[in-house]
Amino acid sequence: MILEGAIIYSNLLVLLALGLTLTYITTNVPNFAQGSYAIVGSYVALTMLKLFDISPYLSLPVLFIVGAIVGLITYLALKPLIKREASVEILMIATLAIDLVLLGIIGAYSEILSVIVGSTQAKFVFANLDFTIFGLKGILFVSTLVIVILLIGLYILLYKTKFGIALRASMENPSLAQTMGINVERTRLFSWILSGALAGVAGGLLPFMQEIVPATGDLIIISIFAASIVGGLRHISGALIGGYIIGISESLITYYLSLAFGTGFLVYGKVISLIMMIITLLVAPYGITGVDWKKVRKKYLSII
């Protein structure tokens, strides 16, 4: 069912866009390596399956930790540039370099794993390992449950803990937060660790809905950025809104266009995300959450 696939894809996109948005808010870094974080998780899940016969679903806690480590290493690599207040362009190029390094590591690792297990592991899927409930794929329930747990956890963290208050203050005004005695460095470190962890989990679930190759991260980064930009890069809620808008739109529009113009159109699904991202940047540069909807409503009512 196309809607089922769209919801699953949107759930995973929310996880990835949330990490991207979180690190951008706290450190002003557009992380082009976010997609490759997920593929690291995918290959770790594959390794646990092939070598230890552990279900990808059961490996999610491990993927959370592995992703967190990747996020931590990335931040430590970028930290000198951030401290020197490097421009966004320099930081962007740095994340592109990290992405290329990860791509090389993933590609080399896939070859090593292929030798160990005796068959090629350059591409794989987990779809045949999934279960069904009432005719629906298990990944639908698992990915939705992950999103619910994440949202509850984030709400408790941001609004019910002292660290959460410090984190929100650092997001809104880092300089003022530091003046008030808040450890901004710790909040930045946390955001990168959480970003990597969420991507690792998303990576473990991604093979249940599409084929994974070492370069898959560079393909999905378009949709990740589109989700964050459409929703609004300056608000965490933007990742949630943008993730579902881009995920469902990309899936449904591509599907119906393929019915009209042939299955070859499915290859160009990312064009939908690019178009939506461009339109958003032209009409509402700060995304949906950055629009003053009260002002828009008043303007609309005055016209009527």
Side-chain angles (χ1 to χ4, degrees):
M1 189 171 69
I2 184 62
L3 184 59
E4 177 188 18
I7 294 173
I8 295 169
Y9 179 53
S10 298
N11 286 342
L12 302 185
L13 204 52
V14 167
L15 287 174
L16 292 165
L18 185 60
L20 177 68
T21 301
L22 189 60
T23 52
Y24 183 81
I25 292 174
T26 54
T27 56
N28 201 36
V29 178
N31 184 16
F32 280 82
Q34 189 74 13
S36 291
Y37 285 3
I39 308 309
V40 169
S42 299
Y43 274 92
V44 172
L46 176 66
T47 301
M48 296 184 71
L49 173 67
K50 293 293 183 178
L51 300 185
F52 308 106
D53 199 27
I54 298 176
S55 165
Y57 286 135
L58 297 179
S59 67
L60 290 181
V62 175
L63 303 185
F64 186 89
I65 295 171
V66 171
I69 293 171
V70 175
L72 171 62
I73 293 172
T74 303
Y75 177 70
L76 294 177
L78 294 172
K79 187 177 176 181
L81 293 175
I82 295 172
K83 277 195 169 184
R84 284 199 290 258
E85 298 182 353
S87 66
V88 174
E89 292 80 9
I90 295 297
L91 292 170
M92 179 184 70
I93 292 171
T95 64
L96 281 170
I98 291 171
D99 178 56
L100 290 174
V101 170
L102 287 176
L103 177 60
I105 292 173
I106 294 168
Y109 179 75
S110 69
E111 295 299 326
I112 294 171
L113 185 62
S114 296
V115 173
I116 294 173
V117 301
S119 62
T120 180
Q121 303 300 315
K123 56 182 179 180
F124 63 94
V125 292
F126 291 157
N128 59 320
L129 302 174
D130 207 359
F131 61 92
T132 57
I133 299 178
F134 304 120
L136 298 174
K137 296 177 182 177
I139 182 63
L140 174 64
F141 299 98
V142 175
S143 62
T144 301
L145 179 62
V146 169
I147 291 295
V148 171
I149 293 173
L150 170 65
L151 293 178
I152 293 173
L154 275 178
Y155 175 79
I156 294 173
L157 172 68
L158 293 174
Y159 295 97
K160 301 296 181 181
T161 67
K162 290 183 179 180
F163 181 75
I165 295 172
L167 182 60
R168 283 191 292 139
S170 298
M171 291 178 182
E172 293 173 10
N173 194 325
S175 299
L176 181 60
Q178 198 160 17
T179 302
M180 295 175 64
I182 293 174
N183 190 335
V184 175
E185 174 63 23
R186 189 170 63 173
T187 60
R188 287 174 174 174
L189 181 64
F190 173 80
S191 69
W192 280 89
I193 290 174
L194 182 58
S195 175
L198 295 179
V201 172
L205 300 176
L206 198 60
F208 283 99
M209 64 163 297
Q210 72 174 71
E211 185 178 72
I212 300 297
V213 297
T216 300
D218 291 332
L219 296 176
I220 63 176
I221 193 62
I222 297 171
S223 299
I224 298 170
F225 264 96
S228 293
I229 289 171
V230 169
L233 269 170
R234 298 189 176 186
H235 299 273
I236 291 181
S237 58
L240 180 66
I241 297 169
Y244 283 109
I245 290 176
I246 291 297
I248 292 175
S249 299
E250 186 179 314
S251 299
L252 296 185
I253 293 175
T254 303
Y255 172 73
Y256 287 114
L257 286 176
S258 70
L259 293 180
F261 301 104
T263 54
F265 195 86
L266 292 171
V267 181
Y268 304 101
K270 300 303 177 188
V271 174
I272 304 300
S273 297
L274 278 172
I275 292 172
M276 294 184 71
M277 181 167 57
I278 292 169
I279 292 173
T280 301
L281 289 171
L282 292 173
V283 178
Y286 297 115
I288 293 173
T289 54
V291 175
D292 187 345
W293 291 106
K294 289 183 179 179
K295 188 177 180 180
V296 172
R297 183 170 174 272
K298 286 180 181 178
K299 187 176 180 180
Y300 175 74
L301 290 175
S302 66
I303 295 173
I304 295 177

